[in-house]
Amino acid sequence: MNARSIAASRGRWRGALAAVALMLAANAGAQQAPAATPEAAPKAPVLVDAAQQPGYATQSNAERQRVQPGNNAPVWRQVGQGVEGTVNFPYREYGVLIQPTVSYPGAATTNAGEAWRQVRNRVIIPYGGSLVLIALLAVAIFYFTKGPLKLHAPPTGRRIERFTPLERAAHWANAAAFVVLAVSGLVMAFGQYILRPIIGATLFGWLTYALKNLHNFVGPLFVVSLLIVIVTFVRDNLPRREDWAWLVRFGGLLGDQEMPSHRFNAGEKVVFWLGVFVLGLVVVGSGLVLDKLLPGIEYLRAQMQVAHMIHASAALVMIALFIGHIYMGTVGTEGAYAAMKTGYVDETWAREHHALWYQDIQAGKIPAQRSAPAEGSPSPARA
């Protein structure tokens, strides 16, 4: 080996030894360097359950935004509770998107609008409709089994004035208004189940629209005529001790002999006080609310819904009650319709149907002719 080769070999060894020395030095420096402190390391985000914070359920929307930006649950919770918002419309209730929760008989505890719908569809419509059908069925059974009440003795030709022209005018105005309101109300309530499948949606829509407006316009006429009827007939409908005997035996209608009564029997007095006075005034009051005709009332949805439930319920009971009254005043009793049409009844009719009233006329306590008779009319009965 020459001197040049030996020198080259020594150079490679020196380079290798230098590299090893550098590696050892670097390793020693790494061991002697201080470890990184925890403060120098980046912190991991801490997740906080906002629902566990105190007062979370009662937070305002601004407070919720600080905890959960974009979470508007407090606003919508208030909307569901019927809280009134701020709007620029003329009616402040426009700020109420969802009505508050209520509990009505026959409905689940839910918002007022849904509760009203449930009462209407689950209670008023099925039970009210059944009541009207039962009244119609009872009248039909009575007619085909018992038949109309006829006179047992022939007419005498002597007449007694039963209704004055004013009484008949008040009765007919009220009766006509009642029929219009009853028919239009029944069509609006039950027409979609009975008429709509027959005449179609378009014609049914036009019909109900027309009847709704007719219903609203005839209502005030019914109000005025009802008040006149109450004032006109209240005196002769006051209860008397003979009425109890009439009620106990149902007026003798199921037998062959009627129970004696004054100008109006106990059955007619029940119709007057329950149907005309109580139910009539309830229907009138609730109807005026629905028509927005009463002053000093804030017509909000809740008030209108309650008024509708009262109005519909009372009206259906009233219709069922007056079905019997209409039957007895037309085909159910011979001569009853003529009495309201002409104002007069025969002496035999008065004696058989209202014996106590006839006795008072015979005794001179009540005049047989209470208004000026028309020219050419037959003479009234005399004592």
Side-chain angles (χ1 to χ4, degrees):
M1 180 180 295
N2 54 28
R4 184 178 294 177
S5 300
I6 294 174
S9 177
R10 290 176 177 175
R12 288 194 294 271
W13 280 104
R14 289 192 187 99
L17 290 174
V20 172
L22 289 173
M23 293 176 61
L24 293 175
N27 186 37
Q31 292 179 357
Q32 294 176 2
T37 59
E39 289 77 7
K43 294 182 179 180
V46 179
L47 300 178
V48 179
D49 187 359
Q52 301 301 322
Q53 293 182 351
Y56 177 83
T58 59
Q59 287 177 340
S60 66
N61 206 60
E63 293 170 338
R64 181 63 60 83
Q65 293 302 309
R66 291 197 296 267
V67 179
Q68 293 179 336
N71 186 336
N72 295 317
V75 170
W76 296 108
R77 184 178 296 114
Q78 289 182 325
V79 168
Q81 294 172 349
V83 174
E84 181 182 319
T86 302
V87 294
N88 294 324
F89 294 105
Y91 302 103
R92 67 178 183 85
E93 198 189 17
Y94 284 5
V96 179
L97 298 181
I98 300 177
Q99 291 182 265
T101 299
V102 296
S103 180
Y104 293 145
T109 301
T110 180
N111 68 77
E114 173 61 18
W116 164 78
R117 189 191 70 84
Q118 291 181 8
V119 171
R120 180 190 183 276
N121 294 342
R122 297 179 183 179
V123 180
I124 297 176
I125 294 298
Y127 290 101
S130 300
L131 181 63
V132 173
L133 290 177
I134 290 173
L136 290 172
L137 181 62
V139 165
I141 292 175
F142 192 86
Y143 177 79
F144 288 107
T145 57
K146 181 70 176 179
L149 300 178
K150 296 183 178 295
L151 297 178
H152 297 85
T156 64
R158 295 186 293 271
R159 302 195 307 168
I160 297 175
E161 186 180 30
R162 181 160 176 78
F163 300 109
T164 66
L166 174 62
E167 293 171 340
R168 287 185 289 124
H171 176 273
W172 283 116
N174 188 249
F178 173 80
V179 171
V180 171
L181 294 173
V183 172
S184 57
L186 290 173
V187 170
M188 288 187 286
F190 303 99
Q192 62 174 333
Y193 310 108
I194 302 173
L195 290 179
R196 183 175 177 177
I198 299 174
I199 65 178
T202 301
L203 183 56
F204 177 73
W206 281 104
L207 176 63
T208 51
Y209 178 78
L211 290 177
K212 184 266 295 183
N213 287 284
L214 183 64
H215 195 93
N216 292 339
F217 281 106
V218 174
L221 172 62
F222 179 77
V223 174
V224 175
S225 61
L226 181 75
L227 295 178
I228 296 175
V229 165
I230 291 175
V231 173
T232 302
F233 293 104
V234 65
R235 180 180 177 181
D236 289 326
N237 278 283
L238 294 176
R240 305 180 72 160
R241 66 174 181 269
E242 294 85 1
D243 296 332
W244 177 248
W246 194 99
L247 289 173
V248 170
R249 298 189 58 182
F250 199 60
L253 296 179
L254 300 180
D256 296 330
Q257 189 70 30
E258 280 193 58
M259 293 294 296
S261 63
H262 290 275
R263 187 186 179 198
F264 298 116
N265 59 45
E268 292 169 319
K269 292 180 179 180
V270 169
V271 171
F272 177 84
W273 289 109
L274 178 58
V276 176
F277 190 82
V278 176
L279 293 176
L281 293 181
V282 170
V283 168
V284 164
S286 56
L288 292 176
V289 172
L290 293 173
D291 277 342
K292 300 182 179 180
L293 295 178
L294 292 180
I297 296 179
E298 192 171 15
Y299 295 103
L300 306 179
R301 279 175 289 178
Q303 283 85 333
M304 302 297 277
Q305 289 159 355
V306 172
H308 173 267
M309 291 186 288
I310 295 174
H311 186 78
S313 301
L316 287 170
V317 176
M318 190 177 182
I319 290 172
L321 185 64
F322 273 87
I323 286 175
H325 175 72
I326 293 172
Y327 167 76
M328 294 302 297
T330 53
V331 299
T333 304
E334 181 184 12
Y337 176 75
M340 186 54 69
K341 180 181 178 181
T342 65
Y344 292 89
V345 295
D346 189 82
E347 187 180 36
T348 301
W349 190 97
R351 184 174 59 251
E352 292 191 7
H353 293 304
H354 298 273
L356 300 179
W357 177 58
Y358 174 72
Q359 292 172 9
D360 288 341
I361 293 175
Q362 292 296 97
K365 297 179 180 179
I366 302 174
Q369 179 73 42
R370 294 186 296 131
S371 64
E375 294 184 5
S377 60
S379 300
R382 299 292 182 182

mmCIF file of all heavy atoms in Angstrom, residues 87-107:
data_model
loop_
_atom_site.group_PDB
_atom_site.id
_atom_site.type_symbol
_atom_site.label_atom_id
_atom_site.label_comp_id
_atom_site.label_asym_id
_atom_site.label_seq_id
_atom_site.Cartn_x
_atom_site.Cartn_y
_atom_site.Cartn_z
ATOM 1 N N VAL A 87 -96.495 44.295 16.516
ATOM 2 C CA VAL A 87 -96.736 44.387 15.081
ATOM 3 C C VAL A 87 -97.150 45.809 14.751
ATOM 4 O O VAL A 87 -97.504 46.604 15.633
ATOM 5 C CB VAL A 87 -97.831 43.394 14.622
ATOM 6 C CG1 VAL A 87 -97.386 41.961 14.781
ATOM 7 C CG2 VAL A 87 -99.127 43.642 15.398
ATOM 8 N N ASN A 88 -97.129 46.148 13.488
ATOM 9 C CA ASN A 88 -97.526 47.467 13.013
ATOM 10 C C ASN A 88 -98.934 47.479 12.439
ATOM 11 O O ASN A 88 -99.348 48.482 11.862
ATOM 12 C CB ASN A 88 -96.534 47.968 11.955
ATOM 13 C CG ASN A 88 -95.157 48.214 12.540
ATOM 14 O OD1 ASN A 88 -95.034 48.655 13.680
ATOM 15 N ND2 ASN A 88 -94.110 47.913 11.772
ATOM 16 N N PHE A 89 -99.671 46.360 12.588
ATOM 17 C CA PHE A 89 -101.031 46.288 12.079
ATOM 18 C C PHE A 89 -101.995 46.984 13.044
ATOM 19 O O PHE A 89 -101.686 47.158 14.225
ATOM 20 C CB PHE A 89 -101.450 44.832 11.887
ATOM 21 C CG PHE A 89 -100.673 44.123 10.825
ATOM 22 C CD1 PHE A 89 -99.689 43.209 11.161
ATOM 23 C CD2 PHE A 89 -100.914 44.376 9.491
ATOM 24 C CE1 PHE A 89 -98.970 42.556 10.183
ATOM 25 C CE2 PHE A 89 -100.205 43.715 8.503
ATOM 26 C CZ PHE A 89 -99.226 42.810 8.850
ATOM 27 N N PRO A 90 -103.179 47.390 12.573
ATOM 28 C CA PRO A 90 -104.094 48.125 13.455
ATOM 29 C C PRO A 90 -104.691 47.286 14.570
ATOM 30 O O PRO A 90 -105.175 47.829 15.547
ATOM 31 C CB PRO A 90 -105.184 48.618 12.493
ATOM 32 C CG PRO A 90 -105.119 47.697 11.323
ATOM 33 C CD PRO A 90 -103.685 47.320 11.184
ATOM 34 N N TYR A 91 -104.692 45.951 14.433
ATOM 35 C CA TYR A 91 -105.250 45.080 15.462
ATOM 36 C C TYR A 91 -104.109 44.391 16.189
ATOM 37 O O TYR A 91 -103.307 43.686 15.571
ATOM 38 C CB TYR A 91 -106.195 44.051 14.848
ATOM 39 C CG TYR A 91 -107.336 44.683 14.075
ATOM 40 C CD1 TYR A 91 -107.317 44.727 12.686
ATOM 41 C CD2 TYR A 91 -108.415 45.258 14.733
ATOM 42 C CE1 TYR A 91 -108.347 45.312 11.970
ATOM 43 C CE2 TYR A 91 -109.456 45.839 14.033
ATOM 44 C CZ TYR A 91 -109.414 45.859 12.657
ATOM 45 O OH TYR A 91 -110.420 46.442 11.956
ATOM 46 N N ARG A 92 -104.073 44.606 17.505
ATOM 47 C CA ARG A 92 -102.927 44.101 18.251
ATOM 48 C C ARG A 92 -102.881 42.574 18.276
ATOM 49 O O ARG A 92 -101.819 41.993 18.460
ATOM 50 C CB ARG A 92 -102.945 44.636 19.674
ATOM 51 C CG ARG A 92 -104.081 44.136 20.549
ATOM 52 C CD ARG A 92 -103.955 44.700 21.959
ATOM 53 N NE ARG A 92 -104.965 44.193 22.851
ATOM 54 C CZ ARG A 92 -104.863 43.053 23.521
ATOM 55 N NH1 ARG A 92 -103.804 42.297 23.358
ATOM 56 N NH2 ARG A 92 -105.838 42.655 24.334
ATOM 57 N N GLU A 93 -104.041 41.896 18.084
ATOM 58 C CA GLU A 93 -104.014 40.436 18.130
ATOM 59 C C GLU A 93 -103.279 39.842 16.941
ATOM 60 O O GLU A 93 -102.964 38.660 16.942
ATOM 61 C CB GLU A 93 -105.430 39.873 18.221
ATOM 62 C CG GLU A 93 -105.444 38.428 18.702
ATOM 63 C CD GLU A 93 -106.805 37.772 18.604
ATOM 64 O OE1 GLU A 93 -107.667 38.285 17.883
ATOM 65 O OE2 GLU A 93 -107.003 36.743 19.249
ATOM 66 N N TYR A 94 -103.001 40.653 15.927
ATOM 67 C CA TYR A 94 -102.208 40.149 14.814
ATOM 68 C C TYR A 94 -100.831 39.708 15.279
ATOM 69 O O TYR A 94 -100.138 38.966 14.579
ATOM 70 C CB TYR A 94 -102.072 41.211 13.733
ATOM 71 C CG TYR A 94 -103.317 41.403 12.886
ATOM 72 C CD1 TYR A 94 -104.493 40.727 13.172
ATOM 73 C CD2 TYR A 94 -103.324 42.275 11.808
ATOM 74 C CE1 TYR A 94 -105.632 40.906 12.417
ATOM 75 C CE2 TYR A 94 -104.457 42.467 11.032
ATOM 76 C CZ TYR A 94 -105.608 41.780 11.340
ATOM 77 O OH TYR A 94 -106.734 41.958 10.591
ATOM 78 N N GLY A 95 -100.397 40.177 16.437
ATOM 79 C CA GLY A 95 -99.110 39.764 16.979
ATOM 80 C C GLY A 95 -99.142 38.434 17.683
ATOM 81 O O GLY A 95 -98.112 37.960 18.156
ATOM 82 N N VAL A 96 -100.322 37.799 17.783
ATOM 83 C CA VAL A 96 -100.456 36.481 18.408
ATOM 84 C C VAL A 96 -100.517 35.440 17.295
ATOM 85 O O VAL A 96 -101.513 35.347 16.583
ATOM 86 C CB VAL A 96 -101.721 36.399 19.294
ATOM 87 C CG1 VAL A 96 -101.838 35.013 19.918
ATOM 88 C CG2 VAL A 96 -101.675 37.468 20.367
ATOM 89 N N LEU A 97 -99.434 34.680 17.138
ATOM 90 C CA LEU A 97 -99.388 33.678 16.069
ATOM 91 C C LEU A 97 -100.113 32.398 16.469
ATOM 92 O O LEU A 97 -100.799 31.791 15.661
ATOM 93 C CB LEU A 97 -97.935 33.368 15.703
ATOM 94 C CG LEU A 97 -97.116 34.545 15.151
ATOM 95 C CD1 LEU A 97 -95.709 34.083 14.800
ATOM 96 C CD2 LEU A 97 -97.793 35.150 13.928
ATOM 97 N N ILE A 98 -99.944 31.962 17.711
ATOM 98 C CA ILE A 98 -100.576 30.737 18.201
ATOM 99 C C ILE A 98 -101.283 31.077 19.508
ATOM 100 O O ILE A 98 -100.688 31.682 20.408
ATOM 101 C CB ILE A 98 -99.553 29.614 18.426
ATOM 102 C CG1 ILE A 98 -98.837 29.270 17.110
ATOM 103 C CG2 ILE A 98 -100.223 28.377 18.994
ATOM 104 C CD1 ILE A 98 -97.767 28.225 17.265
ATOM 105 N N GLN A 99 -102.552 30.703 19.625
ATOM 106 C CA GLN A 99 -103.308 31.006 20.832
ATOM 107 C C GLN A 99 -102.802 30.194 22.022
ATOM 108 O O GLN A 99 -102.226 29.117 21.852
ATOM 109 C CB GLN A 99 -104.789 30.722 20.604
ATOM 110 C CG GLN A 99 -105.452 31.680 19.623
ATOM 111 C CD GLN A 99 -106.929 31.375 19.486
ATOM 112 O OE1 GLN A 99 -107.337 30.664 18.591
ATOM 113 N NE2 GLN A 99 -107.733 31.921 20.386
ATOM 114 N N PRO A 100 -103.018 30.699 23.232
ATOM 115 C CA PRO A 100 -102.547 29.968 24.415
ATOM 116 C C PRO A 100 -103.292 28.656 24.624
ATOM 117 O O PRO A 100 -104.357 28.424 24.052
ATOM 118 C CB PRO A 100 -102.821 30.961 25.559
ATOM 119 C CG PRO A 100 -103.896 31.853 25.040
ATOM 120 C CD PRO A 100 -103.643 31.975 23.567
ATOM 121 N N THR A 101 -102.749 27.825 25.471
ATOM 122 C CA THR A 101 -103.336 26.524 25.765
ATOM 123 C C THR A 101 -104.555 26.679 26.669
ATOM 124 O O THR A 101 -104.536 27.430 27.639
ATOM 125 C CB THR A 101 -102.286 25.622 26.438
ATOM 126 O OG1 THR A 101 -101.182 25.446 25.548
ATOM 127 C CG2 THR A 101 -102.877 24.259 26.766
ATOM 128 N N VAL A 102 -105.624 25.965 26.332
ATOM 129 C CA VAL A 102 -106.858 25.990 27.118
ATOM 130 C C VAL A 102 -107.363 24.564 27.282
ATOM 131 O O VAL A 102 -106.857 23.631 26.659
ATOM 132 C CB VAL A 102 -107.948 26.854 26.441
ATOM 133 C CG1 VAL A 102 -107.533 28.311 26.354
ATOM 134 C CG2 VAL A 102 -108.278 26.309 25.067
ATOM 135 N N SER A 103 -108.389 24.415 28.104
ATOM 136 C CA SER A 103 -109.023 23.113 28.312
ATOM 137 C C SER A 103 -110.532 23.308 28.263
ATOM 138 O O SER A 103 -111.128 23.847 29.193
ATOM 139 C CB SER A 103 -108.603 22.512 29.653
ATOM 140 O OG SER A 103 -109.224 21.249 29.853
ATOM 141 N N TYR A 104 -111.156 22.883 27.157
ATOM 142 C CA TYR A 104 -112.600 22.983 26.981
ATOM 143 C C TYR A 104 -113.236 21.605 27.184
ATOM 144 O O TYR A 104 -112.595 20.577 26.902
ATOM 145 C CB TYR A 104 -112.955 23.489 25.581
ATOM 146 C CG TYR A 104 -112.561 24.918 25.300
ATOM 147 C CD1 TYR A 104 -112.140 25.305 24.029
ATOM 148 C CD2 TYR A 104 -112.615 25.885 26.288
ATOM 149 C CE1 TYR A 104 -111.789 26.622 23.752
ATOM 150 C CE2 TYR A 104 -112.262 27.190 26.033
ATOM 151 C CZ TYR A 104 -111.853 27.565 24.766
ATOM 152 O OH TYR A 104 -111.504 28.859 24.505
ATOM 153 N N PRO A 105 -114.487 21.533 27.659
ATOM 154 C CA PRO A 105 -115.159 20.234 27.793
ATOM 155 C C PRO A 105 -115.255 19.533 26.437
ATOM 156 O O PRO A 105 -115.671 20.131 25.441
ATOM 157 C CB PRO A 105 -116.549 20.615 28.311
ATOM 158 C CG PRO A 105 -116.372 21.956 28.952
ATOM 159 C CD PRO A 105 -115.323 22.653 28.155
ATOM 160 N N GLY A 106 -114.838 18.287 26.404
ATOM 161 C CA GLY A 106 -114.892 17.515 25.175
ATOM 162 C C GLY A 106 -113.693 17.674 24.273
ATOM 163 O O GLY A 106 -113.657 17.088 23.190
ATOM 164 N N ALA A 107 -112.684 18.454 24.697
ATOM 165 C CA ALA A 107 -111.491 18.667 23.874
ATOM 166 C C ALA A 107 -110.252 18.408 24.710
ATOM 167 O O ALA A 107 -110.274 18.515 25.945
ATOM 168 C CB ALA A 107 -111.452 20.088 23.307
#
